[in-house]
Amino acid sequence: MNNQLQTNNQYKSGFISIIGRPNVGKSTFLNHVIGQKIAIMSDKPQTTRNKVQGVLSTNDSQMIFIDTPGIHKPKHKLGDFMMKIAINTLKEVDLILCMINADEGFGRGDEFIIEKLKGVRTPVFLVINKIDLVQPDKLLTIMDQYREMYDFKEIVPISALEGNNINTLLTQIKHYLPEGPQYYPEDQVTDHPERFIVSELIREKALHLTREEVPHSTAVLIDKMEHKQNQNIIHIMATIIVERDSQKGIVIGKQGKMLKEIGQRARIDIENLLGSKVFLELWVKVQKDWRNKAFHLRDYGFKEDEY
């Protein structure tokens, strides 16, 4: 950070947690704000498994967004881990964005989130996403309904997909942030290492292409990531982990066509991320019931003691 910013008392910075039920558009919002893909997007719920920090730097502020797993009832150890992440972030941030889907009715998940919010002192915004899918009259009804349940500091309707009203939301966020330092270099957009983002991009394509056939029982391990200086290419070897033999067959596909398609699509995003040509090799491995085994969760990057 330059000296002018360091001595400017008006420089604001802070951490903002994005919470909500699965599939309300948290990752889509984060990717739009940051301007590039750092959180994977899927129309399946519970895509985000780790906290993903996205950093937005301007000349007078730095906003560090934390995209959390969607709030849901855990069905396995991985689900317990995801919920612990989401709830713990409420204690660590300067502002909370409680995001809801304008096109979905109020549910138990929303009730659970609001009850958790009642126990924190952190300012909370209600962000009503997907407003492009509802009539204005319904939007007013939603706003009135939520006002009665919780004292939100601000209520901001947006469309993360189309970008509607996001600048207004960012202005409001900046107003509530404290004066503070620049935590990250101004050109840094996430605190996750490249390997993590690369693995997430591969997992996104696997989820998208296999649809309902392979549920969220996939993980991706980066076995090797080597920059070939003389060839100006990055060689990446990765393994897609599934829980059953039948899932392995689906991911590989007939004559390997599905795995090839996953690799081709992932490679495009990875090259955009890394700014270099990429040679990507993928394998598929069965690790039965890995989501319920603590040692597998640790091996695949879900380290509970970090939260």
Side-chain angles (χ1 to χ4, degrees):
M1 182 172 63
N2 61 45
N3 290 333
Q4 183 179 359
L5 290 183
Q6 286 179 324
T7 57
N8 184 352
N9 290 331
Q10 294 303 308
Y11 191 86
K12 290 191 165 188
S13 60
F15 293 79
I16 304 109
S17 178
I18 314 168
I19 67 167
R21 285 198 290 175
N23 209 28
V24 296
K26 300 184 295 296
S27 296
T28 304
F29 167 75
L30 181 62
N31 288 334
H32 182 94
V33 168
I34 302 307
Q36 69 183 72
K37 183 175 286 189
I38 61 169
I40 77 169
M41 295 183 292
S42 168
D43 57 2
K44 293 182 180 181
Q46 296 143 42
T47 302
T48 303
R49 290 180 179 163
N50 285 308
K51 294 189 297 185
V52 176
Q53 289 195 176
V55 184
L56 176 63
S57 300
T58 68
N59 64 340
D60 62 354
S61 68
Q62 188 168 80
M63 305 177 193
I64 301 102
F65 292 93
I66 301 173
D67 177 21
T68 64
I71 303 290
H72 65 286
K73 186 176 180 180
K75 297 179 181 179
H76 37 64
K77 284 185 181 295
L78 176 59
D80 291 334
F81 172 87
M82 292 160 66
M83 284 306 89
K84 186 170 291 188
I85 291 173
I87 300 303
N88 281 354
T89 60
L90 302 182
K91 309 168 188 176
E92 304 169 349
V93 295
D94 301 289
L95 182 67
I96 298 168
L97 304 183
C98 175
M99 187 173 289
I100 64 169
N101 181 349
D103 198 35
E104 288 183 352
F106 182 81
R108 285 187 176 181
D110 300 297
E111 186 176 0
F112 176 76
I113 292 169
I114 287 175
E115 284 304 310
K116 291 294 182 183
L117 291 175
K118 289 178 180 178
V120 301
R121 296 183 179 181
T122 310
V124 183
F125 286 11
L126 178 67
V127 179
I128 307 174
N129 192 21
K130 306 188 183 183
I131 59 172
D132 50 301
L133 301 180
V134 300
Q135 296 295 325
D137 288 347
K138 183 179 179 182
L139 186 58
L140 292 173
T141 301
I142 294 170
M143 293 170 76
D144 289 339
Q145 179 185 19
Y146 276 84
R147 277 196 190 100
E148 292 179 2
M149 290 185 282
Y150 188 83
D151 182 22
F152 294 99
K153 295 297 183 182
E154 303 287 347
I155 297 179
V156 186
I158 67 164
S159 170
L161 189 62
E162 298 186 358
N164 297 344
N165 221 30
I166 285 183
N167 285 338
T168 299
L169 175 57
L170 294 176
T171 299
Q172 295 282 51
I173 289 172
K174 187 189 296 186
H175 177 71
Y176 279 83
L177 291 183
E179 294 180 9
Q182 182 175 311
Y183 291 97
Y184 296 95
E186 60 187 29
D187 59 348
Q188 186 171 338
V189 296
T190 182
D191 71 337
H192 275 296
E194 288 177 345
R195 280 175 174 254
F196 173 83
I197 305 298
V198 168
S199 70
E200 287 289 87
L201 292 175
I202 296 169
R203 190 166 69 91
E204 176 188 51
K205 304 311 176 190
L207 289 174
H208 177 72
L209 288 168
T210 57
R211 306 295 301 174
E212 301 304 322
E213 296 176 282
V214 178
H216 286 260
S217 54
T218 59
V220 175
L221 291 180
I222 304 299
D223 304 305
K224 179 182 178 182
M225 194 164 163
E226 183 180 9
H227 191 193
K228 302 282 188 180
Q229 296 287 351
N230 57 336
Q231 300 175 18
N232 194 28
I233 192 168
I234 298 174
H235 186 189
I236 299 172
M237 299 168 63
T239 303
I240 300 173
I241 309 294
V242 294
E243 288 189 318
R244 297 195 295 272
D245 291 327
S246 60
Q247 294 168 349
K248 180 178 179 179
I250 292 168
V251 172
I252 292 174
K254 189 175 181 180
Q255 296 178 331
K257 286 184 178 180
M258 177 62 75
L259 189 62
K260 183 178 180 181
E261 182 71 11
I262 291 170
Q264 287 175 340
R265 295 195 185 189
R267 181 176 53 79
I268 293 171
D269 278 354
I270 294 167
E271 288 182 341
N272 288 335
L273 174 74
L274 302 179
S276 175
K277 288 289 184 182
V278 168
F279 179 72
L280 177 62
E281 291 185 81
L282 295 179
W283 286 265
V284 185
K285 179 180 178 182
V286 176
Q287 201 69 262
K288 296 186 185 299
D289 200 29
W290 68 265
R291 289 180 295 176
N292 272 317
K293 296 176 180 176
F295 62 93
H296 283 322
L297 292 175
R298 286 194 300 271
D299 288 345
Y300 302 157
F302 307 107
K303 299 176 182 178
E304 187 172 340
D305 57 353
E306 292 182 0
Y307 299 97

